[in-house]
């Protein structure tokens, strides 16, 4: 009888390794340990044994039962683990997997790319990023910038006036943010303001009604033209490389005195003269100057205490030069064949 019981255990151990799913495992367990199972049947025979022997066999029967339970439990755990892994496999999200149909995900507009690059550079020099509305008051766009209503300088910029809204214009430049920033933050001040501007242009490869500028301003005690040159040189070198120089030539802007027209060494010919720079060796990319006392006053800054410089980069122009874009109209076109290249 002892042999029979041991055989029972060996049979189970041999079979339990062969089952391939939980259902067959349960069936197998029932076959051995169930109410009508093999162990029960074997134990029925025990009844006929003498007391002493029954005790000994009973002990063996218990050991066999326990061994079968342990083997069963082990196998059950294996199946549970497999099941967990399987369902995990189904629910698994691979966050690094490229989006299905990801080729139509879009890209960052070249103007935004250059804008962000410049924002990084300026914030690293302690400038804040300021903002102003595109639909601007005549006052911020002109009057406060030392361009009174009758001033001929208003003619230099072909302004979009807004029908039915007196004194409101589509801002013609980002210089309007100069006044807004001074009033909001006071002096000392270091700010840049990138943004869209609008002019009533007859459009062609070089002219567009919508374009981007990046305005900048630095106000503090004792700020001079050499500070201005220093900062603009850093910008030029950042954009076009270490050997880049800048050239400042006098130019009239009502809101600065003196005002300059800013050029950088042509990055294509390195100053020798080529088609891009029209044989001059220089590329015109910004206007700048020392902030006019009237403008400081309008911004609530005392010109006897503070001075400062301001500059306006043609952001759109920088982008066209950087990427060799030959028609400005591509930039606002929304044409995917163009945009997908960036
Ligand atoms: N606002 C000028 C324009 O649109 C550019 C400019 C020139 C900005 C001189 C300035 C500046 O801040 O100082 O042509």
């Amino acid at each position: 009888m002892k042999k029979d019981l041991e055989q029972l255990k060996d049979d189970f151990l041999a079979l339990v390794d062969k089952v391939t799913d939980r259902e067959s495992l349960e069936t197998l367990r029932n076959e051995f340990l169930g109410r009508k199972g093999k162990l029960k049947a074997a134990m029925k025979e025990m009844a006929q044994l003498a007391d002493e022997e029954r005790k000994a066999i009973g002990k063996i029967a218990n050991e066999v039962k326990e061994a079968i339970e342990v083997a069963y439990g082990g196998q059950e755990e294996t199946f549970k683990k497999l099941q967990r892994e399987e369902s995990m496999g189904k629910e698994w999200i691979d966050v690094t997997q490229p989006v299905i149909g990801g080729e139509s995900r879009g890209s960052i507009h070249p103007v935004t790319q250059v804008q962000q690059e410049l924002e990084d550079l300026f914030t690293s020099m302690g400038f804040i990023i300021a903002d102003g509305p595109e639909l601007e008051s005549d006052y911020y766009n002109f009057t406060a910038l030392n361009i009174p209503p009758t001033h001929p300088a208003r003619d230099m910029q072909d302004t979009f006036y807004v029908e039915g809204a007196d004194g409101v214009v589509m801002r013609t430049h980002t210089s309007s943010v100069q006044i807004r920033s001074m009033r909001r933050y006071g002096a000392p001040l270091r700010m840049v303001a990138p943004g869209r501007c609008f002019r009533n242009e007859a459009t062609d490869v070089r002219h567009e009604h919508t374009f981007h500028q990046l305005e900048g301003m630095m106000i503090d005690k004792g700020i001079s033209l050499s500070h201005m040159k220093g900062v603009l040189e850093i910008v030029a070198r950042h954009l076009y490389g270490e050997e880049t120089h800048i050239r400042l030539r006098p130019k009239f802007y009502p809101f600065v005195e003196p005002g300059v027209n800013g050029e950088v060494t042509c990055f294509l010919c390195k100053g020798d003269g080529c088609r891009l720079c029209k044989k001059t060796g220089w590329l015109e990319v910004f206007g700048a100057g020392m902030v006019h006392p009237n403008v400081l006053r309008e911004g609530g800054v005392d010109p006897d205490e503070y001075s400062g410089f301001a500059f306006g980069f043609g952001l759109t122009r920088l982008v066209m030069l950087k990427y060799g874009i030959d028609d400005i109209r591509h930039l606002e076109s929304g044409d995917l064949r163009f945009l997908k290249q960036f």
Side-chain angles (χ1 to χ4, degrees):
M1 182 138 196
K2 186 178 166 203
K3 263 202 180 137
D4 289 348
L5 285 171
E6 245 135 41
Q7 186 60 44
L8 211 66
K9 181 176 83 175
D10 292 344
D11 286 352
F12 184 86
L13 294 184
L15 288 168
V16 79
D17 278 340
K18 298 208 176 78
V19 294
T20 50
D21 56 72
R22 273 187 89 175
E23 214 176 305
S24 347
L25 180 67
E26 286 311 312
T27 315
L28 186 68
R29 182 179 181 275
N30 263 335
E31 231 173 78
F32 281 79
L33 300 185
R35 266 194 308 129
K36 292 181 180 159
K38 293 184 175 173
L39 189 67
K40 273 268 152 57
M43 283 167 78
K44 263 189 195 148
E45 290 174 25
M46 273 167 48
Q48 293 142 26
L49 298 174
D51 265 7
E52 199 77 345
E53 214 176 339
R54 204 172 58 224
K55 254 193 187 164
I57 292 296
K59 199 172 159 234
I60 294 170
N62 270 337
E63 282 165 11
V64 167
K65 187 174 177 222
E66 209 172 296
I68 290 178
E69 287 284 18
V70 168
Y72 161 83
Q75 190 69 320
E76 191 191 29
E77 202 36 60
T78 310
F79 284 138
K80 276 188 184 162
K81 203 173 146 206
L82 266 171
Q83 202 173 18
R84 271 200 303 273
E85 279 171 7
E86 214 171 279
S87 67
M88 246 170 78
K90 281 196 198 113
E91 290 159 24
W92 174 253
I93 298 170
D94 179 1
V95 292
T96 66
Q97 184 188 327
V99 180
I100 296 165
E103 65 276 7
S104 61
R105 214 167 13 155
S107 54
I108 296 182
H109 194 283
V111 170
T112 311
Q113 285 184 29
V114 176
Q115 179 182 322
Q116 287 175 348
E117 201 181 300
L118 285 172
E119 284 177 1
D120 278 353
L121 174 69
F122 278 107
T123 47
S124 78
M125 296 193 286
F127 284 68
I128 57 165
I129 315 286
D131 204 2
E134 292 174 354
L135 196 59
E136 184 56 283
S137 75
D138 181 289
Y139 169 77
Y140 281 113
N141 196 79
F142 294 123
T143 316
L145 288 166
N146 205 28
I147 316 175
T150 52
H151 200 290
R154 289 201 181 199
D155 288 345
M156 289 182 352
Q157 302 178 349
D158 302 295
T159 311
F160 282 120
Y161 288 88
V162 181
E163 236 172 53
D166 241 12
V168 175
V169 300
M170 301 290 282
R171 72 172 173 198
T172 58
H173 51 187
T174 43
S175 303
S176 52
V177 190
Q178 289 188 18
I179 310 289
R180 288 181 174 277
S181 302
M182 282 189 283
R183 290 199 173 176
R184 180 150 186 189
Y185 303 109
L189 174 69
R190 277 180 236 180
M191 72 86 180
V192 284
R196 276 202 293 190
C197 308
F198 312 87
R199 285 184 203 181
N200 185 10
E201 300 277 6
T203 57
D204 60 30
V205 290
R206 297 190 48 183
H207 299 91
E208 175 63 295
H209 50 69
T210 302
F211 56 96
H212 288 73
Q213 291 189 339
L214 182 128
E215 194 77 16
M217 184 173 225
M218 179 165 178
I219 298 173
D220 211 330
K221 288 181 176 151
I223 294 290
S224 71
L225 205 71
S226 53
H227 293 111
M228 179 182 97
K229 190 166 183 240
V231 168
L232 292 170
E233 237 156 24
I234 289 172
V235 180
R237 291 193 178 137
H238 177 83
L239 285 168
Y240 300 114
E242 277 307 307
E243 332 78 78
T244 310
H245 296 286
I246 64 170
R247 179 165 82 164
L248 307 174
R249 293 191 298 170
K251 180 165 178 186
F252 172 71
Y253 294 102
F255 32 93
V256 282
E257 181 59 39
V260 299
N261 175 14
E263 294 168 309
V264 297
T265 322
C266 176
F267 60 84
L268 201 62
C269 62
K270 304 279 176 236
D272 292 343
C274 66
R275 217 171 63 94
L276 183 67
C277 59
K278 297 205 193 80
K279 304 249 179 283
T280 63
W282 298 94
L283 295 168
E284 191 185 329
V285 287
F286 63 89
M290 298 305 292
V291 183
H292 196 287
N294 288 349
V295 175
L296 289 174
R297 253 179 241 117
E298 284 299 325
V301 174
D302 181 357
D304 292 328
E305 203 181 342
Y306 289 99
S307 58
F309 62 84
F311 54 87
F313 275 89
L315 193 55
T316 298
R317 182 159 162 74
L318 292 182
V319 172
M320 289 178 73
L321 288 170
K322 174 166 179 172
Y323 296 108
I325 298 165
D326 56 5
D327 189 334
I328 190 173
R329 292 170 296 189
H330 286 312
L331 291 164
E332 295 290 322
S333 69
D335 189 335
L336 289 178
R337 289 169 305 176
F338 169 75
L339 294 172
K340 273 183 179 166
Q341 297 175 52
F342 300 95

